[in-house]
Amino acid sequence: KPQELSNMTWAFAKAESSHPGMFGKVADHITALDHLGAFKPQELSNMTWAFAKAESSHPRMFGKVADHITALDHLGAFNSQALSNMTWAF
């Protein structure tokens, strides 16, 4: 579920607990999804922030997130903090 994935990665990053295997599994799961429509803007923001904070690189996942965002009609659902966090993460 999107919220659980977002919360889990955020918690690991916030605790400064790097676990490359866990981040890799989450990223692989996300890249295997057909689309990211089930993710709320805050979940995408928290998750990309967590990957960046944990210094866990996964270009395919970040590419999928970027493709999802650029396909949206507008960014109105993203608040300024979410946009800021995502910009920093990329």
Coordinates of all heavy atoms in Angstrom, one line a residue:
K1 N 0.8 -1.2 0.0 CA 0.0 0.0 0.0 C 0.9 1.2 0.0 O 1.9 1.3 0.7 CB -0.9 0.0 1.2 CG -1.9 -1.2 1.2 CD -2.8 -1.1 2.4 CE -3.7 -2.3 2.5 NZ -4.5 -2.3 3.7
P2 N 0.5 2.3 -0.8 CA 1.3 3.4 -0.9 C 1.7 4.1 0.5 O 2.8 4.5 0.7 CB 0.5 4.4 -1.7 CG -0.3 3.4 -2.6 CD -0.6 2.3 -1.7
Q3 N 0.7 4.3 1.3 CA 1.0 5.0 2.6 C 2.0 4.2 3.4 O 2.9 4.8 4.0 CB -0.3 5.2 3.4 CG 0.0 6.0 4.6 CD -1.2 6.4 5.4 OE1 -2.3 6.1 5.0 NE2 -1.1 7.1 6.5
E4 N 1.8 2.9 3.5 CA 2.8 2.1 4.3 C 4.2 2.1 3.7 O 5.2 2.2 4.5 CB 2.3 0.6 4.4 CG 1.1 0.4 5.3 CD -0.2 0.7 4.7 OE1 -0.3 1.2 3.5 OE2 -1.3 0.5 5.3
L5 N 4.3 2.1 2.4 CA 5.7 2.2 1.8 C 6.3 3.6 2.1 O 7.5 3.7 2.4 CB 5.6 2.0 0.3 CG 5.1 0.6 -0.2 CD1 4.9 0.6 -1.7 CD2 6.2 -0.4 0.2
S6 N 5.5 4.6 1.9 CA 5.9 5.9 2.2 C 6.4 6.1 3.7 O 7.4 6.6 4.0 CB 4.8 6.9 1.9 OG 5.2 8.2 2.2
N7 N 5.5 5.7 4.6 CA 5.8 5.8 6.0 C 7.0 5.0 6.4 O 7.9 5.5 7.2 CB 4.6 5.3 6.9 CG 3.4 6.2 6.8 OD1 3.5 7.3 6.3 ND2 2.3 5.8 7.3
M8 N 7.2 3.8 5.9 CA 8.3 3.0 6.2 C 9.6 3.6 5.7 O 10.6 3.7 6.5 CB 8.2 1.6 5.6 CG 9.3 0.6 5.9 SD 9.0 -1.1 5.3 CE 8.8 -0.8 3.6
T9 N 9.7 4.0 4.5 CA 10.9 4.6 4.0 C 11.2 5.9 4.7 O 12.4 6.2 5.1 CB 10.9 4.8 2.5 OG1 9.7 5.6 2.1 CG2 10.8 3.5 1.7
W10 N 10.2 6.7 5.0 CA 10.4 8.0 5.7 C 11.0 7.7 7.1 O 11.9 8.4 7.6 CB 9.1 8.7 5.9 CG 9.2 10.0 6.6 CD1 9.5 11.2 6.1 CD2 9.0 10.2 8.0 NE1 9.5 12.2 7.1 CE2 9.2 11.6 8.3 CE3 8.7 9.4 9.1 CZ2 9.1 12.1 9.5 CZ3 8.6 9.9 10.3 CH2 8.8 11.3 10.6
A11 N 10.4 6.7 7.8 CA 10.9 6.4 9.2 C 12.3 5.9 9.2 O 13.1 6.4 10.1 CB 10.0 5.3 9.8
F12 N 12.7 5.1 8.3 CA 14.1 4.7 8.2 C 15.0 5.9 7.9 O 16.1 6.0 8.6 CB 14.3 3.6 7.1 CG 14.1 2.2 7.6 CD1 12.9 1.7 7.7 CD2 15.2 1.4 7.9 CE1 12.7 0.4 8.2 CE2 15.1 0.1 8.4 CZ 13.8 -0.4 8.5
A13 N 14.6 6.7 7.0 CA 15.5 7.9 6.7 C 15.5 8.9 7.9 O 16.6 9.4 8.2 CB 15.0 8.6 5.5
K14 N 14.4 9.1 8.5 CA 14.4 10.0 9.6 C 15.2 9.5 10.8 O 15.9 10.3 11.5 CB 12.9 10.2 10.1 CG 12.7 11.3 11.1 CD 12.9 12.6 10.5 CE 12.5 13.7 11.6 NZ 12.9 15.0 11.2
A15 N 15.2 8.2 11.0 CA 16.0 7.6 12.1 C 17.5 7.5 11.7 O 18.3 7.0 12.4 CB 15.5 6.2 12.4
E16 N 17.8 7.9 10.4 CA 19.2 7.8 9.9 C 19.7 6.4 9.9 O 20.8 6.1 10.2 CB 20.1 8.8 10.6 CG 19.7 10.2 10.4 CD 20.7 11.2 11.0 OE1 21.7 10.8 11.7 OE2 20.4 12.4 10.9
S17 N 18.7 5.5 9.6 CA 19.0 4.0 9.6 C 19.0 3.6 8.2 O 18.0 3.3 7.6 CB 18.0 3.3 10.4 OG 18.2 1.9 10.3
S18 N 20.2 3.4 7.6 CA 20.3 3.0 6.2 C 20.1 1.5 6.1 O 20.7 0.7 6.9 CB 21.7 3.4 5.7 OG 21.8 3.0 4.3
H19 N 19.3 1.1 5.2 CA 19.1 -0.3 5.0 C 18.9 -0.5 3.4 O 17.8 -0.5 2.9 CB 17.9 -0.8 5.7 CG 17.8 -2.3 5.8 ND1 17.7 -3.1 4.7 CD2 18.0 -3.2 6.8 CE1 17.7 -4.4 5.1 NE2 17.9 -4.4 6.4
P20 N 20.0 -0.5 2.7 CA 20.0 -0.6 1.3 C 19.1 -1.7 0.7 O 18.4 -1.5 -0.3 CB 21.4 -0.8 0.8 CG 22.2 -0.3 2.0 CD 21.4 -0.6 3.2
G21 N 19.0 -2.8 1.3 CA 18.2 -3.9 0.9 C 16.7 -3.6 0.9 O 16.0 -3.9 0.0
M22 N 16.3 -3.0 2.0 CA 14.9 -2.6 2.1 C 14.5 -1.5 1.1 O 13.5 -1.6 0.4 CB 14.6 -2.1 3.6 CG 13.2 -1.8 3.9 SD 12.5 -0.1 3.4 CE 13.6 0.9 4.4
F23 N 15.4 -0.5 1.0 CA 15.1 0.6 0.0 C 15.1 0.0 -1.4 O 14.3 0.4 -2.2 CB 16.1 1.7 0.2 CG 15.8 2.7 1.2 CD1 16.4 2.5 2.5 CD2 15.0 3.8 1.0 CE1 16.1 3.4 3.5 CE2 14.7 4.7 2.0 CZ 15.2 4.5 3.3
G24 N 16.0 -0.9 -1.7 CA 16.0 -1.6 -3.0 C 14.7 -2.4 -3.3 O 14.2 -2.3 -4.4
K25 N 14.2 -3.1 -2.3 CA 13.0 -3.9 -2.5 C 11.8 -2.9 -2.7 O 11.0 -3.2 -3.6 CB 12.7 -4.7 -1.2 CG 13.6 -5.9 -1.1 CD 13.0 -7.0 -2.0 CE 13.7 -8.3 -1.7 NZ 13.4 -9.4 -2.5
V26 N 11.7 -1.8 -2.0 CA 10.6 -0.9 -2.1 C 10.7 -0.3 -3.5 O 9.7 -0.2 -4.3 CB 10.7 0.2 -1.1 CG1 9.7 1.3 -1.4 CG2 10.4 -0.4 0.3
A27 N 11.9 0.1 -3.9 CA 12.1 0.7 -5.3 C 11.7 -0.3 -6.4 O 11.1 0.1 -7.3 CB 13.5 1.2 -5.4
D28 N 12.2 -1.5 -6.2 CA 11.8 -2.5 -7.2 C 10.3 -2.7 -7.3 O 9.8 -2.9 -8.4 CB 12.5 -3.8 -6.9 CG 14.0 -3.8 -7.2 OD1 14.5 -2.8 -7.8 OD2 14.7 -4.7 -6.6
H29 N 9.7 -2.7 -6.2 CA 8.2 -2.9 -6.1 C 7.5 -1.7 -6.9 O 6.6 -2.0 -7.7 CB 7.7 -3.0 -4.7 CG 6.2 -3.0 -4.6 ND1 5.5 -4.1 -4.9 CD2 5.4 -2.0 -4.2 CE1 4.2 -3.8 -4.7 NE2 4.1 -2.5 -4.2
I30 N 8.0 -0.5 -6.6 CA 7.4 0.6 -7.2 C 7.6 0.6 -8.7 O 6.7 0.9 -9.5 CB 7.9 1.9 -6.5 CG1 7.3 2.0 -5.1 CG2 7.5 3.2 -7.3 CD1 8.0 3.0 -4.2
T31 N 8.8 0.3 -9.2 CA 9.0 0.3 -10.6 C 8.2 -0.8 -11.3 O 8.0 -0.7 -12.5 CB 10.5 0.2 -10.9 OG1 11.0 -1.0 -10.3 CG2 11.3 1.4 -10.4
A32 N 7.9 -1.8 -10.6 CA 7.1 -2.9 -11.2 C 5.6 -2.6 -11.3 O 4.9 -3.3 -12.1 CB 7.3 -4.2 -10.4
L33 N 5.1 -1.6 -10.6 CA 3.7 -1.2 -10.7 C 3.4 -0.7 -12.1 O 4.2 0.0 -12.7 CB 3.4 -0.1 -9.6 CG 3.6 -0.5 -8.2 CD1 3.4 0.7 -7.3 CD2 2.6 -1.6 -7.8
D34 N 2.1 -0.9 -12.5 CA 1.7 -0.4 -13.8 C 1.6 1.1 -13.8 O 1.9 1.8 -14.8 CB 0.3 -0.9 -14.1 CG 0.3 -2.4 -14.4 OD1 1.3 -2.9 -14.8 OD2 -0.8 -3.1 -14.2
H35 N 1.2 1.7 -12.7 CA 1.1 3.2 -12.6 C 1.2 3.6 -11.1 O 1.2 2.7 -10.2 CB -0.2 3.7 -13.2 CG -1.4 3.1 -12.6 ND1 -1.9 3.6 -11.4 CD2 -2.2 2.1 -13.0 CE1 -3.0 2.9 -11.1 NE2 -3.2 2.0 -12.0
L36 N 1.4 4.9 -10.9 CA 1.5 5.4 -9.5 C 0.3 6.2 -9.1 O 0.3 6.9 -8.2 CB 2.8 6.3 -9.4 CG 4.1 5.6 -9.7 CD1 5.2 6.5 -9.6 CD2 4.3 4.4 -8.8
G37 N -0.8 5.9 -9.8 CA -2.1 6.7 -9.5 C -2.6 6.5 -8.1 O -3.3 7.3 -7.6
A38 N -2.2 5.4 -7.4 CA -2.7 5.2 -6.1 C -2.0 6.0 -5.0 O -2.4 6.1 -3.9 CB -2.6 3.7 -5.7
F39 N -0.8 6.5 -5.4 CA 0.0 7.3 -4.5 C -0.5 8.7 -4.4 O -0.7 9.4 -5.4 CB 1.5 7.3 -4.9 CG 2.2 6.1 -4.7 CD1 2.1 5.0 -5.5 CD2 3.0 6.0 -3.6 CE1 2.8 3.8 -5.3 CE2 3.7 4.8 -3.3 CZ 3.6 3.7 -4.2
K40 N -0.7 9.2 -3.2 CA -1.1 10.6 -3.0 C 0.2 11.5 -3.1 O 1.3 11.0 -2.9 CB -1.7 10.8 -1.6 CG -3.0 10.1 -1.4 CD -3.5 10.3 0.0 CE -4.8 9.4 0.2 NZ -5.2 9.4 1.6
P41 N 0.0 12.7 -3.5 CA 1.2 13.6 -3.6 C 2.1 13.6 -2.4 O 3.4 13.5 -2.5 CB 0.6 15.0 -3.8 CG -0.7 14.7 -4.5 CD -1.2 13.5 -3.8
Q42 N 1.6 13.6 -1.2 CA 2.4 13.6 0.0 C 3.2 12.3 0.2 O 4.3 12.3 0.6 CB 1.5 13.8 1.3 CG 2.3 14.0 2.6 CD 3.1 15.3 2.5 OE1 2.5 16.3 2.1 NE2 4.3 15.3 2.9
E43 N 2.6 11.2 -0.2 CA 3.3 9.9 -0.2 C 4.5 9.9 -1.2 O 5.5 9.4 -0.8 CB 2.3 8.8 -0.5 CG 1.2 8.6 0.6 CD 0.0 7.8 0.2 OE1 -0.2 7.5 -1.0 OE2 -0.8 7.5 1.0
L44 N 4.3 10.4 -2.4 CA 5.4 10.4 -3.3 C 6.5 11.4 -2.8 O 7.7 11.1 -2.9 CB 4.9 10.9 -4.7 CG 4.0 10.0 -5.5 CD1 3.4 10.7 -6.7 CD2 4.8 8.8 -5.9
S45 N 6.0 12.5 -2.2 CA 7.0 13.4 -1.7 C 7.8 12.8 -0.5 O 9.1 12.9 -0.5 CB 6.3 14.7 -1.2 OG 7.2 15.5 -0.5
N46 N 7.1 12.2 0.4 CA 7.8 11.6 1.6 C 8.8 10.5 1.1 O 9.9 10.4 1.6 CB 6.8 11.1 2.6 CG 6.1 12.2 3.3 OD1 6.4 13.3 3.2 ND2 5.1 11.8 4.0
M47 N 8.3 9.7 0.2 CA 9.1 8.6 -0.3 C 10.4 9.0 -1.0 O 11.5 8.5 -0.8 CB 8.3 7.7 -1.1 CG 8.9 6.3 -1.4 SD 7.8 5.2 -2.2 CE 7.3 6.2 -3.6
T48 N 10.2 10.0 -1.9 CA 11.4 10.4 -2.7 C 12.4 11.2 -1.7 O 13.6 11.0 -1.8 CB 11.0 11.3 -3.9 OG1 10.2 12.4 -3.4 CG2 10.3 10.6 -5.0
W49 N 11.8 11.9 -0.8 CA 12.7 12.6 0.2 C 13.4 11.5 1.0 O 14.6 11.7 1.2 CB 11.8 13.4 1.2 CG 12.6 14.0 2.3 CD1 13.3 15.2 2.3 CD2 12.9 13.4 3.6 NE1 13.9 15.4 3.5 CE2 13.7 14.3 4.3 CE3 12.5 12.2 4.2 CZ2 14.1 14.0 5.6 CZ3 12.9 12.0 5.5 CH2 13.7 12.9 6.1
A50 N 12.8 10.5 1.4 CA 13.4 9.4 2.2 C 14.5 8.7 1.4 O 15.6 8.5 2.0 CB 12.4 8.4 2.6
F51 N 14.3 8.4 0.2 CA 15.4 7.8 -0.6 C 16.6 8.7 -0.7 O 17.7 8.3 -0.6 CB 14.9 7.5 -2.0 CG 14.3 6.1 -2.1 CD1 13.0 5.8 -1.7 CD2 15.0 5.0 -2.6 CE1 12.4 4.6 -1.7 CE2 14.5 3.7 -2.7 CZ 13.2 3.5 -2.3
A52 N 16.3 10.0 -0.9 CA 17.4 11.0 -1.0 C 18.2 11.1 0.3 O 19.4 11.1 0.4 CB 16.9 12.3 -1.5
K53 N 17.4 11.3 1.4 CA 18.0 11.4 2.7 C 18.8 10.2 3.1 O 19.9 10.3 3.7 CB 16.9 11.7 3.7 CG 17.3 11.8 5.1 CD 17.9 13.1 5.4 CE 18.2 13.3 6.9 NZ 19.1 14.4 7.1
A54 N 18.4 9.0 2.7 CA 19.1 7.8 3.0 C 20.2 7.5 2.0 O 20.9 6.5 2.2 CB 18.1 6.6 3.1
E55 N 20.3 8.4 1.1 CA 21.4 8.3 0.0 C 21.2 6.9 -0.7 O 22.2 6.2 -1.0 CB 22.8 8.5 0.6 CG 23.0 9.9 1.1 CD 24.4 10.1 1.7 OE1 25.1 9.1 1.8 OE2 24.6 11.2 2.1
S56 N 20.0 6.6 -0.9 CA 19.7 5.3 -1.6 C 19.2 5.7 -3.1 O 18.1 6.1 -3.3 CB 18.5 4.6 -0.9 OG 18.3 3.4 -1.5
S57 N 20.1 5.4 -4.0 CA 19.9 5.8 -5.4 C 19.2 4.6 -6.1 O 19.5 3.5 -6.0 CB 21.2 6.0 -6.1 OG 21.0 6.3 -7.4
H58 N 18.1 5.0 -6.8 CA 17.4 4.1 -7.6 C 16.8 4.8 -8.8 O 15.7 5.3 -8.8 CB 16.3 3.4 -6.8 CG 15.8 2.1 -7.4 ND1 15.1 2.0 -8.6 CD2 16.1 0.8 -7.1 CE1 14.9 0.8 -8.9 NE2 15.5 0.0 -8.0
P59 N 17.7 5.0 -9.9 CA 17.3 5.8 -11.0 C 16.0 5.4 -11.7 O 15.2 6.3 -12.1 CB 18.4 5.7 -12.0 CG 19.6 5.4 -11.1 CD 19.0 4.6 -10.0
R60 N 15.7 4.1 -11.8 CA 14.4 3.7 -12.4 C 13.2 4.1 -11.6 O 12.2 4.6 -12.2 CB 14.5 2.2 -12.6 CG 15.3 1.7 -13.7 CD 15.2 0.2 -14.1 NE 14.3 -0.5 -13.2 CZ 14.7 -1.6 -12.5 NH1 15.9 -2.1 -12.7 NH2 13.9 -2.3 -11.7
M61 N 13.3 4.0 -10.3 CA 12.2 4.5 -9.5 C 12.0 6.0 -9.6 O 10.9 6.5 -9.8 CB 12.3 4.1 -8.0 CG 11.1 4.4 -7.2 SD 11.4 4.6 -5.4 CE 12.2 6.2 -5.4
F62 N 13.1 6.7 -9.5 CA 13.0 8.2 -9.6 C 12.4 8.6 -11.0 O 11.6 9.5 -11.1 CB 14.3 8.9 -9.3 CG 14.5 9.1 -7.9 CD1 15.0 8.2 -7.0 CD2 14.2 10.4 -7.3 CE1 15.1 8.4 -5.6 CE2 14.3 10.7 -6.0 CZ 14.8 9.7 -5.1
G63 N 12.9 7.8 -12.0 CA 12.4 8.1 -13.4 C 10.9 7.8 -13.5 O 10.1 8.6 -14.1
K64 N 10.4 6.8 -12.8 CA 9.0 6.5 -12.9 C 8.2 7.5 -12.1 O 7.1 8.0 -12.6 CB 8.7 5.1 -12.2 CG 7.3 4.7 -12.3 CD 7.1 3.2 -12.2 CE 5.7 2.8 -12.5 NZ 5.6 1.5 -13.1
V65 N 8.7 8.0 -11.0 CA 8.0 9.1 -10.3 C 8.0 10.3 -11.1 O 6.9 11.0 -11.2 CB 8.7 9.3 -8.9 CG1 8.1 10.6 -8.3 CG2 8.5 8.1 -8.0
A66 N 9.1 10.7 -11.7 CA 9.2 11.9 -12.6 C 8.2 11.8 -13.8 O 7.5 12.7 -14.1 CB 10.6 12.1 -13.1
D67 N 8.1 10.6 -14.4 CA 7.2 10.4 -15.5 C 5.8 10.6 -15.0 O 4.9 11.2 -15.7 CB 7.4 9.0 -16.1 CG 8.7 8.9 -16.9 OD1 9.3 9.9 -17.2 OD2 9.1 7.7 -17.2
H68 N 5.5 10.1 -13.9 CA 4.1 10.2 -13.3 C 3.7 11.6 -13.1 O 2.7 12.1 -13.5 CB 4.0 9.4 -12.0 CG 2.7 9.6 -11.2 ND1 1.5 9.1 -11.6 CD2 2.5 10.3 -10.1 CE1 0.6 9.4 -10.8 NE2 1.1 10.2 -9.9
I69 N 4.6 12.4 -12.5 CA 4.4 13.8 -12.2 C 4.2 14.6 -13.5 O 3.3 15.4 -13.6 CB 5.5 14.4 -11.3 CG1 5.4 13.7 -9.9 CG2 5.3 15.9 -11.2 CD1 6.6 14.0 -9.0
T70 N 5.1 14.4 -14.4 CA 5.0 15.2 -15.7 C 3.7 14.8 -16.5 O 3.3 15.6 -17.3 CB 6.3 15.0 -16.5 OG1 6.5 13.6 -16.8 CG2 7.5 15.6 -15.8
A71 N 3.2 13.7 -16.3 CA 1.9 13.3 -17.0 C 0.7 13.9 -16.4 O -0.4 13.8 -17.0 CB 1.8 11.7 -17.0
L72 N 0.8 14.4 -15.2 CA -0.4 15.1 -14.5 C -0.8 16.3 -15.3 O 0.1 17.0 -15.8 CB 0.0 15.4 -13.1 CG 0.3 14.2 -12.1 CD1 0.7 14.7 -10.8 CD2 -0.9 13.3 -12.0
D73 N -2.1 16.6 -15.2 CA -2.6 17.8 -15.9 C -2.1 19.1 -15.2 O -1.9 20.1 -15.8 CB -4.1 17.8 -15.9 CG -4.6 16.8 -16.9 OD1 -3.9 16.4 -17.8 OD2 -5.8 16.3 -16.7
H74 N -1.9 19.0 -13.8 CA -1.5 20.2 -13.1 C -0.9 19.7 -11.8 O -1.0 18.5 -11.4 CB -2.6 21.1 -12.8 CG -3.8 20.5 -12.0 ND1 -3.8 20.4 -10.7 CD2 -4.9 20.0 -12.5 CE1 -4.9 19.7 -10.3 NE2 -5.6 19.5 -11.4
L75 N -0.2 20.5 -11.0 CA 0.4 20.1 -9.8 C -0.4 20.7 -8.6 O 0.2 20.7 -7.5 CB 1.9 20.6 -9.7 CG 2.8 20.0 -10.8 CD1 4.2 20.7 -10.7 CD2 2.8 18.5 -10.7
G76 N -1.6 21.0 -8.8 CA -2.4 21.6 -7.7 C -2.6 20.8 -6.5 O -2.8 21.3 -5.4
A77 N -2.5 19.5 -6.6 CA -2.6 18.6 -5.5 C -1.4 18.5 -4.6 O -1.4 18.1 -3.5 CB -2.9 17.1 -6.0
F78 N -0.3 19.0 -5.1 CA 1.0 19.1 -4.3 C 1.1 20.4 -3.6 O 1.0 21.5 -4.2 CB 2.2 19.0 -5.3 CG 2.3 17.6 -5.9 CD1 1.7 17.3 -7.0 CD2 3.2 16.7 -5.3 CE1 1.8 16.0 -7.6 CE2 3.3 15.4 -5.9 CZ 2.7 15.1 -7.1
N79 N 1.2 20.4 -2.3 CA 1.4 21.6 -1.6 C 2.9 22.1 -1.7 O 3.7 21.3 -2.3 CB 1.0 21.5 -0.1 CG 1.9 20.5 0.7 OD1 3.1 20.4 0.5 ND2 1.3 19.9 1.7
S80 N 3.2 23.3 -1.3 CA 4.5 23.8 -1.5 C 5.6 23.0 -0.8 O 6.7 22.8 -1.4 CB 4.6 25.3 -1.0 OG 4.3 25.4 0.3
Q81 N 5.3 22.4 0.3 CA 6.3 21.6 1.0 C 6.6 20.3 0.3 O 7.8 19.9 0.1 CB 5.9 21.3 2.5 CG 6.9 20.5 3.3 CD 8.1 21.4 3.5 OE1 8.0 22.5 4.1 NE2 9.3 20.9 3.2
A82 N 5.6 19.7 -0.3 CA 5.7 18.5 -1.0 C 6.6 18.7 -2.3 O 7.5 18.0 -2.6 CB 4.4 17.9 -1.4
L83 N 6.3 19.8 -3.0 CA 7.0 20.2 -4.2 C 8.5 20.5 -3.8 O 9.4 20.1 -4.5 CB 6.4 21.4 -4.9 CG 5.1 21.1 -5.6 CD1 4.5 22.4 -6.1 CD2 5.3 20.2 -6.8
S84 N 8.7 21.2 -2.7 CA 10.1 21.5 -2.3 C 10.8 20.2 -1.9 O 12.0 20.1 -2.3 CB 10.0 22.4 -1.0 OG 11.3 22.7 -0.5
N85 N 10.2 19.3 -1.2 CA 10.9 18.1 -0.8 C 11.2 17.2 -2.1 O 12.3 16.7 -2.1 CB 10.0 17.2 0.1 CG 10.0 17.8 1.5 OD1 10.7 18.7 1.9 ND2 9.0 17.3 2.3
M86 N 10.3 17.2 -3.0 CA 10.6 16.4 -4.2 C 11.7 17.0 -5.0 O 12.5 16.3 -5.6 CB 9.3 16.2 -5.0 CG 8.3 15.3 -4.3 SD 6.9 15.0 -5.3 CE 7.5 13.7 -6.3
T87 N 11.7 18.3 -5.1 CA 12.7 19.0 -5.9 C 14.1 18.8 -5.3 O 15.0 18.5 -6.0 CB 12.4 20.5 -6.0 OG1 11.2 20.7 -6.6 CG2 13.5 21.3 -6.8
W88 N 14.1 18.8 -4.0 CA 15.4 18.6 -3.2 C 15.8 17.1 -3.5 O 17.0 16.8 -3.7 CB 15.2 18.8 -1.8 CG 16.5 18.5 -1.0 CD1 17.6 19.2 -0.8 CD2 16.7 17.2 -0.3 NE1 18.5 18.5 -0.1 CE2 18.0 17.3 0.3 CE3 16.0 16.1 -0.1 CZ2 18.5 16.3 1.0 CZ3 16.5 15.0 0.6 CH2 17.8 15.1 1.2
A89 N 14.9 16.2 -3.5 CA 15.2 14.8 -3.6 C 15.8 14.5 -5.0 O 16.7 13.6 -5.1 CB 14.0 13.9 -3.4
F90 N 15.3 15.1 -6.0 CA 15.8 14.9 -7.3 C 17.2 15.6 -7.5 O 18.0 15.2 -8.3 CB 14.8 15.3 -8.4 CG 13.8 14.3 -8.7 CD1 12.6 14.2 -7.9 CD2 13.9 13.4 -9.7 CE1 11.7 13.3 -8.1 CE2 13.0 12.4 -9.9 CZ 11.8 12.4 -9.1

